[in-house]
Amino acid sequence: MDKIAKDVGDIQSRLLHHRPIINAEIRYFVREFEEKRGHRESRLLENLSKMVVEANEQMLPTNLEGTNQDMMSNIIKRLEAANHMADRVQQRELEAQQNTQLQMNMERLKEEWADFLKEQQRLKEEVDEEHAKAVGQISTHYSEMKMDVTKFSPL
């Protein structure tokens, strides 16, 4: 019975405890990766790292200058386009403001013209009245003179 308990305990530990198996797999992987391959992957990674650093030192500044020039010309073009659009908006606003001011001036001039015509009409009526009075006075004066002439005339 003791032997059966020990065998059941061994079976239970193998079924439920995976740590020894996992540790064995890890040791196998490390030994395979480092020892058998002779650090080949780490040397390849170091070589790639050196190549990337060299490429950055040699090619990046020239590419950055070209890229910077392209970006600057692109930015300048966009700024010029934005300035042109802002100028157009400002010109339209100025024209609209001038149009409203022109309309206000036209309305003011129309009102002044209407006032001027009313004043001219009033002055014309005054002149007509004075003329009618003057004609009436002259007519009266001549009719009096005519009566005076007919009084003194022997005919």
Side-chain angles (χ1 to χ4, degrees):
M1 179 89 158
D2 232 1
K3 203 171 186 179
I4 294 176
K6 184 179 179 189
D7 285 342
V8 171
D10 285 341
I11 291 171
Q12 180 187 3
S13 71
R14 285 187 183 184
L15 288 175
L16 299 176
H17 298 294
H18 301 295
R19 190 172 292 171
I21 296 170
I22 291 175
N23 285 337
E25 287 294 321
I26 290 173
R27 280 192 304 272
Y28 173 77
F29 179 77
V30 168
R31 187 177 67 238
E32 182 74 24
F33 188 76
E34 291 179 351
E35 294 172 1
K36 285 190 177 178
R37 294 186 183 180
H39 302 286
R40 192 176 352 153
E41 283 80 8
S42 62
R43 278 186 265 130
L44 286 174
L45 289 174
E46 287 174 8
N47 288 341
L48 281 174
S49 175
K50 286 179 186 176
M51 289 173 58
V52 168
V53 168
E54 288 175 5
N56 280 340
E57 289 173 355
Q58 291 176 359
M59 298 179 75
L60 188 61
T62 57
N63 287 343
L64 280 179
E65 290 174 8
T67 304
N68 284 342
Q69 291 296 332
D70 291 341
M71 287 175 57
M72 290 300 288
S73 65
N74 205 5
I75 289 171
I76 289 172
K77 287 178 186 176
R78 288 182 181 192
L79 284 174
E80 287 174 352
N83 282 339
H84 180 69
M85 290 172 66
D87 288 341
R88 284 189 1 210
V89 167
Q90 191 175 17
Q91 183 68 26
R92 287 180 186 163
E93 186 176 328
L94 182 63
E95 288 173 359
Q97 186 179 18
Q98 287 176 347
N99 283 341
T100 56
Q101 190 172 8
L102 182 65
Q103 288 175 351
M104 289 173 36
N105 286 343
M106 290 295 286
E107 289 175 10
R108 184 181 50 84
L109 288 174
K110 284 179 183 179
E111 290 172 2
E112 288 178 3
W113 183 252
D115 292 342
F116 173 76
L117 289 178
K118 287 178 185 176
E119 180 68 18
Q120 290 301 313
Q121 185 65 29
R122 188 186 61 78
L123 290 174
K124 178 185 172 236
E125 290 172 359
E126 284 182 13
V127 168
D128 286 345
E129 286 177 20
E130 288 178 15
H131 181 266
K133 285 181 186 176
V135 167
Q137 288 175 353
I138 291 174
S139 296
T140 308
H141 178 69
Y142 279 114
S143 45
E144 288 176 0
M145 285 176 58
K146 194 175 190 184
M147 287 188 168
D148 285 345
V149 168
T150 53
K151 270 191 211 174
F152 295 110
S153 147
L155 290 169

